[in-house]
Amino acid sequence: MKQSGFPYVVPMLLLSVVFFATPLAVLVGFSFITKGGVTLDHYARFFGDEFNFRVLINTARLGLETVIGTTLLGVPIALLYWHSGRTLRQVIIFLTLIPMLTSNVVRTFAWIVILGRQGPISEALMALGITGMPTSLMFTELGLVMAMCQIDLPLIILPLIAILTRTQYSLTEAAQVSGAGPWRILITLMLPLMLPGLLAGWILVFASTSSSFVTQAVIGGARNVYVPQLIYREVGTLFDWPLASAIAVVLLLSTGCLLVALTMISRHRRLNGHA
Amino acid sequence: MKNFEISRRRFGQLLAGAAATSLLPVSLRALAAEKETAIAATFPGNWEDAYRNILTPIMKKEGYGLTIAPALAQDQLAKVMASPGNPPYDALLMSPGQMTIAIQNDIIQKIDPSRLKNWHLLDPSFQGEYGPTVTVEVNGIAYNPDLVPRPKGYKDLFENPAYKGLVSWTGFASNTAVMAYTEIAKIYGSGPDDMAAVFKLFKDHPEQLKSIVDSTNHQMTLFQQGEIAVFMCSTSNVARLKSLGMNCEFVHPETGSPAAPVNIHLTKGTKNADAVYAYMDAAISQAAQDQFKLPPAEMFPTNSDVALTPAISAYVTRDQLKTLVYPDWNSINKNRDAWIREFDTIVAG
């Protein structure tokens, strides 16, 4: 008789309930609590303030910009990996993984040097005659997106590499023999093949960027306000936990909706080789 | 050699035992070695380094353990308020602004001065019923003489083009910043609470808000990188930057230097009160304050037996302490929420 696998799932279910579902339920509960009982007031306060809505849009935009940036950088690196021999592959994996082993805080502070007035970007712009004086990219969204792209790049490269290592190189040769040029091979063959990896990477990058408090605070400064800073302000400075919970739930839902949509797309039959 | 064999069950038991040991509270593990351990919150950076390096050995001699946990005053409040009845810190470090909130929320308790051997060495103004004052933070303006001229005061920063784009500010969550803003409100408005005048100033001079950051700690990093040349600071920020080899000078604003006494408080509900008293006593002892007054911390000593160093005297003497500007924290706390929200809206606008 076939044994049920349920008992083996119990520890994982218990851990999920204790460490994930319960805190989440507490968070959601907090967002509806007031002295008089249950209320939607905190959500009304959040959406009633145009500033908060703008912050939510800014956070989503930052996530999307970073997704675009990491995709433009990640796809060529993944393709290079696919085309390379063993040694270069090891180098690419090493260079991809090493930054992940460094603290996010350290990487963020290193970007202050790179983006600052005396940093290499500013020096290069002056040397090329593009700018006549030192230029700082600190406290700008461009600077923040650049830093986030570097920090989150491994999150898109690794799923792409995982997909490409399962892909036969002979497919491109066949396309070449059939008369397809390099761009056509990339657009009509490689990108569709890489799409499941791209979707997985986009989910990871978007989630990581929109919640990256340290980098947003340090590189973006206080002028570029994003949702994690808003939550920190409400909890740590204004002690308005119900409002902070409501903001966290809004962030969770808005990010969650996007992630669910991407996940559903990534599970589509045509993307899994069932065309 | 005998073959080493271990069953899966035994291996699981070993792992569970190791995990259980690591989950034991720090204080329980420390109890094995010392009488009691105080978990003391201090400000990150200079304070954290100085308190850990100087007070830990003194406490050890007395038979107590000391764990220094870095946290900004507002974060200390938030964490203690989040754990009613089971405070994460036994002792807190705060200025009067946060102390008022802590008293209102019943998270600190009055102390018994008879338990502090060094209590009598403090000036009466430093003998708070909620804990001793360990130093007075004197605030002003830090600047890099290589990049900008010496500012006279806050007004100069808005009206002299030499400072354009090189001044950094933080939001109203920072005590240093809020003290500077109340002084600016006096200059441009009708009094320390007239923040509308300050917000108007920021709206009229958006170029002055180029380098706004979330924390004063970030400003020191930005100053080191030459990203900014001026920021609102305490004397200890300047001492720290100088000790790192930076060309950094401190200016008393012409309108007066805002100041804030810094106090150690006993958290309500602590189970390690003896260790906290030992920690308070160590922090106001001559042995500790003789070291705190030296670079890189250069903290103003509140123990009357401790002589001021020439470097500290250059900033402020004991007589000058009375002439510093001590803000009305009750008024600040009353308005702070609204100011924080308004400031965020303006700077992000």
Side-chain angles (χ1 to χ4, degrees), chain B residues 48 74 78 90 123 145-146 155 162 192 225 275 286 303 308 316 333:
Chain B
E48 178 192 348
Q74 289 290 118
D90 300 309
D123 182 271
D146 293 337
K155 204 172 178 180
Q225 298 299 326
Q286 184 172 5
N303 184 315
L308 302 191
V316 65
N333 286 338

Side-chain angles (χ1 to χ4, degrees), chain A residues 161-203:
Chain A
I161 284 178
I163 291 278
L164 287 174
T165 44
R166 295 204 307 261
T167 305
Q168 294 293 326
Y169 191 70
S170 55
L171 279 172
T172 54
E173 289 171 341
Q176 235 169 351
V177 170
S178 308
W183 284 108
R184 189 158 183 181
I185 291 175
L186 178 69
I187 291 161
T188 59
L189 179 67
M190 295 313 299
L191 283 180
L193 278 173
M194 287 193 283
L195 202 53
L198 279 174
L199 288 166
W202 289 344
I203 291 169

Side-chain angles (χ1 to χ4, degrees), chain A residues 72-86:
Chain A
L72 292 176
L73 290 168
V75 168
I77 294 172
L79 287 171
L80 177 67
Y81 174 90
W82 193 48
H83 278 271
S84 305
R86 196 164 162 240

Side-chain angles (χ1 to χ4, degrees), chain B residues 191-221:
Chain B
D193 291 347
D194 185 8
M195 219 46 77
V198 180
F199 293 138
K200 184 178 179 309
L201 191 68
F202 285 146
K203 276 180 188 161
D204 293 344
H205 297 273
E207 74 281 359
Q208 298 295 345
L209 296 178
K210 205 175 164 195
S211 308
I212 290 201
V213 295
D214 270 351
S215 143
T216 43
N217 286 335
H218 296 164
Q219 291 176 314
M220 290 172 70
T221 310

Side-chain angles (χ1 to χ4, degrees), chain A residues 39 152 243:
Chain A
T39 181
D152 288 342
L243 182 58

Side-chain angles (χ1 to χ4, degrees), chain A residues 175-239:
Chain A
Q176 235 169 351
V177 170
S178 308
W183 284 108
R184 189 158 183 181
I185 291 175
L186 178 69
I187 291 161
T188 59
L189 179 67
M190 295 313 299
L191 283 180
L193 278 173
M194 287 193 283
L195 202 53
L198 279 174
L199 288 166
W202 289 344
I203 291 169
L204 295 173
V205 170
F206 188 87
S208 164
T209 302
S210 53
S211 60
S212 175
F213 174 76
V214 174
T215 316
Q216 289 170 3
V218 175
I219 307 290
R223 293 205 79 166
N224 299 297
V225 184
Y226 303 100
V227 176
Q229 286 153 286
L230 215 55
I231 296 171
Y232 179 77
R233 185 188 78 175
E234 296 301 332
V235 174
T237 309
L238 303 174
F239 313 121

Side-chain angles (χ1 to χ4, degrees), chain A residues 104-156:
Chain A
N104 193 11
V105 177
V106 175
R107 283 189 281 170
T108 297
F109 277 89
W111 272 97
I112 295 178
V113 183
I114 298 167
L115 297 172
R117 288 169 205 269
Q118 299 166 352
I121 294 175
S122 174
E123 298 284 331
L125 288 174
M126 282 209 292
L128 293 168
I130 297 169
T131 55
M133 57 196 300
T135 312
S136 173
L137 287 171
M138 285 292 294
F139 319 123
T140 63
E141 193 162 297
L142 175 62
L144 180 57
V145 170
M146 286 169 70
M148 290 306 320
C149 282
Q150 186 271 329
I151 289 168
D152 288 342
L153 194 56
L155 300 179
I156 205 158

Side-chain angles (χ1 to χ4, degrees), chain B residues 100-299:
Chain B
T100 312
I101 301 170
I103 295 168
Q104 282 164 359
N105 286 278
D106 200 26
I107 61 174
I108 56 173
Q109 62 189 70
K110 288 183 183 174
I111 62 157
D112 174 7
S114 66
R115 298 182 67 177
L116 300 175
K117 287 180 295 206
N118 296 300
W119 183 253
H120 67 286
L121 296 172
L122 298 177
D123 182 271
S125 62
F126 299 141
Q127 295 174 334
E129 56 180 348
Y130 282 94
T133 299
V134 288
T135 190
V136 177
E137 278 214 337
V138 180
N139 283 14
I141 303 169
Y143 74 102
N144 183 342
D146 293 337
L147 298 175
V148 287
R150 182 185 174 87
K152 292 193 196 89
Y154 301 113
K155 204 172 178 180
D156 224 7
L157 303 181
F158 289 93
E159 295 178 5
N160 186 341
Y163 303 106
K164 195 176 166 185
L166 292 170
V167 185
S168 176
W169 303 91
T170 64
F172 282 78
S174 150
N175 282 350
T176 302
V178 84
M179 287 194 279
Y181 293 139
T182 51
E183 287 302 290
I184 296 167
K186 284 188 206 167
I187 300 167
Y188 288 94
S190 56
D193 291 347
D194 185 8
M195 219 46 77
V198 180
F199 293 138
K200 184 178 179 309
L201 191 68
F202 285 146
K203 276 180 188 161
D204 293 344
H205 297 273
E207 74 281 359
Q208 298 295 345
L209 296 178
K210 205 175 164 195
S211 308
I212 290 201
V213 295
D214 270 351
S215 143
T216 43
N217 286 335
H218 296 164
Q219 291 176 314
M220 290 172 70
T221 310
L222 295 170
F223 192 92
Q224 278 181 288
Q225 298 299 326
E227 187 63 32
I228 61 170
V230 184
F231 69 103
M232 307 313 111
C233 69
S234 67
T235 53
S236 62
N237 293 134
V238 175
R240 177 74 170 188
L241 286 167
K242 276 187 172 175
S243 75
L244 295 169
M246 285 301 302
N247 195 1
C248 180
E249 294 299 335
F250 179 84
V251 179
H252 287 283
E254 56 193 352
T255 46
S257 289
V262 182
N263 313 305
I264 295 180
H265 300 296
L266 179 64
T267 315
K268 203 159 197 175
T270 173
K271 294 172 186 72
N272 302 303
D274 290 343
V276 175
Y277 276 109
Y279 163 63
M280 284 179 178
D281 210 35
I284 57 172
S285 69
Q286 184 172 5
Q289 296 215 345
D290 265 332
Q291 295 180 72
F292 288 147
K293 71 180 184 181
L294 301 173
E298 287 193 4
M299 292 176 189

